[in-house]
Amino acid sequence: MAGGAAALTLLTATGAHAEGKGDVRVTDAVVNGGKNVVVGTSKRITYPIAITVRDDSGVKGLSHVSVFDKSDGWGFGDWTGTTCVKKSSTTSVCTATMTLDPRWLPGSLPEDVNHTAGVWQVDATVKANDGDYWISDDIAEFKTKRASRLTTDASPEPVAKGGRLTVSGRLTRANWEDLEYHGFTGQDVRLQFKAAGAAHYRTVKTVRTGDAGKLSTEVTATSAGSWRWYFPGTTTTARVVSAGDSVRLG
């Protein structure tokens, strides 16, 4: 596929089936090194799909790769290149590069494109040196998620020891329809604290986001240190950790 609108296609009705000729097969496939594919509102994304292929005659390469949401069949992304590395006389790892640009997404589907976030699958057609080929569907699954942002502000600064400290923030996530970040309400976010000189943050409490993704809670200041919010993510939205806000005792 070339790019832009051509990269968005309905694949369920025309999706590949496990069929072909001969004994060439996919034996493994890993998307993005096992990590989620996180899509924001502006940054162009590229990620690899490493496909291990085996045939007695040796591997010729890939002739088709596509990715799409398992729940509704819509997918976006261009297959923009492949490199194959021979591991033995019968086995090669062919890595397909997938590229997507958030600017392709607004208004691209007859429904809200945000609904495609979640579990995706990979289909591919592989070829052998002796002319064998195999059309393989669902050779790997991965999550395509909406990017998220999280802020933290602790006040007053400084705060008296034993005084009350208000820690606020806001959780937002990418909207692929208007390419803006909007508040993510009704989500459990962990408030974490790292005392001055400590190596790690610890969770103090969990707070649910309110209107427009806003967070606010009060804690007792017992020592100087840094406060932050941590959101573990969902099936459709990426995890995110805010920058720490350092508070000293005064």
Side-chain angles (χ1 to χ4, degrees), residues 11 14-20 24-31 49-53 61-68 79 82 94-96 98 121-127 133-140:
L11 298 172
T14 58
H17 300 283
E19 60 183 45
V24 61
R25 293 293 187 275
V26 172
T27 61
D28 191 30
V30 179
V31 180
I49 304 175
I51 302 172
T52 303
V53 187
L62 309 176
S63 60
H64 169 81
V65 181
S66 60
V67 294
F68 52 91
W79 171 33
T82 304
C94 293
T95 301
M98 305 301 294
Q121 75 177 57
V122 180
D123 286 5
T125 301
V126 298
K127 289 190 173 183
Y133 72 94
W134 199 255
I135 302 169
S136 305
D137 61 349
D138 209 0
I139 59 173

Side-chain angles (χ1 to χ4, degrees), residues 2-250:
L8 295 111
T9 53
L10 178 59
L11 298 172
T12 297
T14 58
H17 300 283
E19 60 183 45
K21 181 185 75 172
D23 58 358
V24 61
R25 293 293 187 275
V26 172
T27 61
D28 191 30
V30 179
V31 180
N32 201 29
K35 299 179 292 184
N36 298 322
V37 174
V38 179
V39 182
T41 60
S42 60
K43 183 180 178 182
R44 192 178 181 92
I45 304 295
T46 61
Y47 62 93
I49 304 175
I51 302 172
T52 303
V53 187
R54 186 186 185 284
D55 185 83
D56 290 344
S57 70
V59 176
K60 185 174 183 179
L62 309 176
S63 60
H64 169 81
V65 181
S66 60
V67 294
F68 52 91
D69 176 20
K70 285 183 69 71
S71 66
D72 60 20
W74 287 107
F76 47 82
D78 273 351
W79 171 33
T80 53
T82 304
T83 58
C84 290
V85 177
K86 186 175 180 179
K87 298 298 183 179
S88 71
S89 61
T90 62
T91 304
S92 294
V93 176
C94 293
T95 301
T97 299
M98 305 301 294
T99 302
L100 65 95
D101 191 322
R103 291 174 297 180
W104 298 342
L105 305 182
S108 59
L109 306 185
E111 58 192 55
D112 185 344
V113 70
N114 291 300
H115 292 162
T116 63
V119 180
W120 283 37
Q121 75 177 57
V122 180
D123 286 5
T125 301
V126 298
K127 289 190 173 183
N129 288 329
D130 60 3
D132 291 353
Y133 72 94
W134 199 255
I135 302 169
S136 305
D137 61 349
D138 209 0
I139 59 173
E141 295 183 2
F142 65 103
K143 292 185 177 71
T144 297
K145 295 191 175 188
R146 297 162 65 176
S148 56
R149 292 175 176 174
L150 192 53
T151 62
T152 297
D153 181 61
S155 64
E157 301 179 48
V159 63
K161 185 173 183 178
R164 300 299 288 172
L165 186 71
T166 298
V167 186
S168 59
R170 187 172 182 233
L171 174 65
T172 58
R173 63 174 174 170
N175 184 309
W176 295 336
E177 283 291 329
D178 63 9
L179 301 184
E180 300 288 345
Y181 280 80
H182 297 271
F184 195 11
T185 63
Q187 302 302 306
D188 289 335
V189 182
R190 302 171 194 170
L191 177 64
Q192 299 184 328
F193 176 70
K194 182 175 71 172
H200 304 289
Y201 280 88
R202 60 179 178 84
T203 296
V204 175
K205 63 168 69 175
T206 298
V207 179
R208 180 155 290 192
T209 57
D211 183 52
K214 293 179 181 178
L215 292 156
S216 184
T217 190
E218 285 192 349
V219 293
T220 300
T222 58
S223 62
S226 294
W227 295 88
R228 73 179 188 185
W229 293 103
Y230 166 74
F231 175 59
T234 68
T235 300
T236 63
T237 304
R239 66 179 291 275
V240 63
V241 182
S242 74
D245 189 6
S246 180
V247 177
R248 63 183 178 88
L249 299 182

